[in-house]
């Protein structure tokens, strides 16, 4: 179980994340730049006393996750886009991880968007100490199938530990027969993805998100300086060049990927081109009902 001091850090990170999520979703309008939304979301997190647990993900239509705009990205939201805003704040390693989905100017996918939200909220009603992973997965899948959609089977919720965004348990969105139980004291992200496609995702091209993986000898002293900056600023968390207060960050990131110091995340696309929606809360599991930490 977390101490009161640790729990307050978790709660603050969650509150800031939830408010940043709502800010980002409110900005999603036709003609607005993705870059501007990401900058505002991350700026809000930093201005409210937290660090970034990962870059603000802005994933559109069939892209389920792992895209953040680069410094030179001029793209804007289009009418009919289904937009996932996924953001996270961290305070001394304690994380709030949260996401929501909005549609730009139309209502063609309202039921799909509501389906992922409904599945998440249904799990929120019973997640607690002793609940088995397959029970959560079964609940998510049944809820979505009743709505006429399917879950993304190879994207999971996850346990979170200090400075470790994906730690320990993976939480399925289908009945995978895993009887492992959630335990009191755990921090769990529940993030069902619903789709009108086949229910699987595949890796595509890089989405501008990277993480530090190892030290390597570097001939460029500025690149080494950048590595030291990244390790101090982002610790073990994913980041992107846009989020760095460091000269020429884009080129340093490219150099360090080539030299095996950084690893790049691929964008995740639905295999049949289906539209994807996502809703996510982080929960602290105490001895009673799980507590949502990522409400604004």
């Amino acid at each position: 179980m977390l101490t009161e001091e640790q729990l307050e850090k978790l709660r603050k990170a969650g509150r800031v994340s939830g408010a940043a999520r709502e800010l980002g979703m409110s900005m999603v309008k036709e003609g607005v730049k993705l870059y501007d939304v990401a900058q505002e979301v991350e700026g809000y997190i930093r201005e409210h006393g937290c660090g970034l647990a990962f870059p603000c993900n802005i994933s559109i239509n069939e892209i389920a996750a792992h895209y953040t705009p680069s410094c030179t990205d001029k793209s804007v939201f289009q009418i009919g886009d289904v937009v996932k805003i996924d953001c996270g704040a961290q305070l001394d390693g304690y994380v709030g991880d949260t996401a929501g989905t909005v549609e730009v100017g139309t209502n063609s996918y309202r039921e799909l968007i509501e389906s992922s939200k409904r599945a998440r909220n249904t799990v929120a009603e019973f997640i607690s100490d002793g609940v088995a992973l397959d029970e959560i997965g079964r609940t998510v899948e049944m809820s979505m199938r009743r709505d006429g959609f399917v879950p993304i089977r190879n994207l999971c919720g996850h346990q979170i530990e200090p400075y470790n965004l994906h730690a320990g348990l993976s939480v399925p969105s289908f009945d995978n027969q895993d009887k492992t139980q959630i335990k009191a004291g755990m921090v769990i992200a529940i993030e069902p993805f619903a789709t009108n496609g086949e229910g699987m995702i595949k890796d595509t091209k890089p989405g501008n998100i990277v993480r530090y993986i190892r030290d390597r000898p570097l001939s460029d002293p500025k690149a080494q300086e950048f590595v030291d900056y990244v390790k101090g600023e982002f610790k073990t968390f994913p980041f992107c060049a846009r989020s760095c207060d460091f000269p020429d960050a884009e080129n340093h990131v490219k150099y360090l990927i080539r030299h095996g110091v950084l690893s790049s995340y691929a964008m995740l696309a639905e295999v049949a081109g289906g539209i994807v929606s996502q809703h996510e809360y982080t929960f602290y599991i105490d001895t009673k009902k799980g507590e949502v930490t990522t409400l604004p």
Side-chain angles (χ1 to χ4, degrees):
M1 302 293 288
L2 298 183
T3 66
E4 279 303 314
E5 181 181 4
Q6 292 168 333
L7 188 51
E8 183 46 44
K9 290 177 180 179
L10 179 70
R11 286 169 172 159
K12 179 175 179 179
R15 287 193 302 270
V16 171
S17 299
R21 176 197 68 225
E22 295 303 304
L23 171 63
M25 291 170 67
S26 74
M27 292 180 66
V28 176
K29 303 282 192 301
E30 182 188 12
V32 172
K33 289 182 181 178
L34 279 66
Y35 174 90
D36 290 343
V37 173
Q39 289 290 91
E40 285 292 324
V41 167
E42 294 178 13
Y44 182 94
I45 289 171
R46 284 169 157 158
E47 288 161 12
H48 287 78
C50 293
L52 302 180
F54 52 89
C56 177
N57 282 220
I58 305 179
S59 303
I60 298 175
N61 296 334
E62 76 281 5
I63 303 300
H66 293 175
Y67 181 78
T68 198
S70 69
C71 297
T72 57
D73 192 333
K74 305 297 184 187
S75 58
V76 299
F77 299 111
Q78 308 285 341
I79 287 288
D81 281 346
V82 174
V83 181
K84 283 76 68 183
I85 301 291
D86 189 347
C87 63
Q90 64 92 8
L91 183 58
D92 292 338
Y94 293 92
V95 172
D97 185 357
T98 188
T101 303
V102 291
E103 186 174 353
V104 182
T106 53
N107 282 303
S108 302
Y109 298 100
R110 181 173 58 85
E111 290 301 321
L112 175 64
I113 292 169
E114 285 299 313
S115 186
S116 58
K117 181 189 291 186
R118 185 178 298 114
R120 180 203 63 190
N121 291 349
T122 301
V123 173
E125 293 174 3
F126 70 87
I127 188 171
S128 60
D129 179 36
V131 170
L133 296 178
D134 65 347
E135 182 179 355
I136 294 173
R138 184 164 56 250
T139 298
V140 168
E141 182 169 25
M142 288 175 63
S143 177
M144 289 183 182
R145 289 192 180 278
R146 278 196 300 267
D147 296 335
F149 305 108
V150 295
I152 302 281
R153 293 169 63 91
N154 56 339
L155 276 176
C156 299
H158 49 98
Q159 186 178 353
I160 303 172
E161 293 178 349
Y163 293 107
N164 191 349
L165 195 56
H166 290 258
L169 301 183
S170 294
V171 185
S173 289
F174 66 101
D175 184 356
N176 67 347
Q177 306 293 309
D178 188 342
K179 303 298 182 185
T180 304
Q181 294 182 352
I182 288 173
K183 297 297 184 183
M186 288 182 174
V187 178
I188 301 289
I190 299 296
E191 53 176 328
F193 292 80
T195 183
N196 58 5
E198 291 185 12
M200 296 288 286
I201 52 93
K202 62 183 179 182
D203 288 352
T204 61
K205 63 184 181 180
N208 304 315
I209 300 170
V210 297
R211 64 183 176 90
Y212 166 80
I213 52 172
R214 66 175 70 87
D215 281 327
R216 287 279 179 84
L218 299 171
S219 59
D220 183 346
K222 277 294 182 184
Q224 184 59 58
E225 188 180 336
F226 180 71
V227 171
D228 296 338
Y229 161 80
V230 163
K231 290 161 72 173
E233 178 69 18
F234 302 107
K235 309 296 192 296
T236 56
F237 293 113
F239 70 98
C240 66
R242 177 183 47 75
S243 306
C244 295
D245 183 18
F246 196 97
D248 206 23
E250 289 270 9
N251 285 328
H252 287 313
V253 165
K254 292 175 184 175
Y255 174 87
L256 293 170
I257 290 171
R258 290 196 304 271
H259 285 76
V261 176
L262 303 180
S263 176
S264 178
Y265 288 75
M267 289 189 291
L268 306 177
E270 210 285 325
V271 294
I275 302 297
V276 179
S277 75
Q278 172 199 18
H279 283 85
E280 178 179 21
Y281 280 157
T282 297
F283 294 83
Y284 175 62
I285 310 301
D286 59 20
T287 55
K288 306 180 289 296
K289 178 181 173 182
E291 172 190 344
V292 180
T293 63
T294 46
L295 296 175

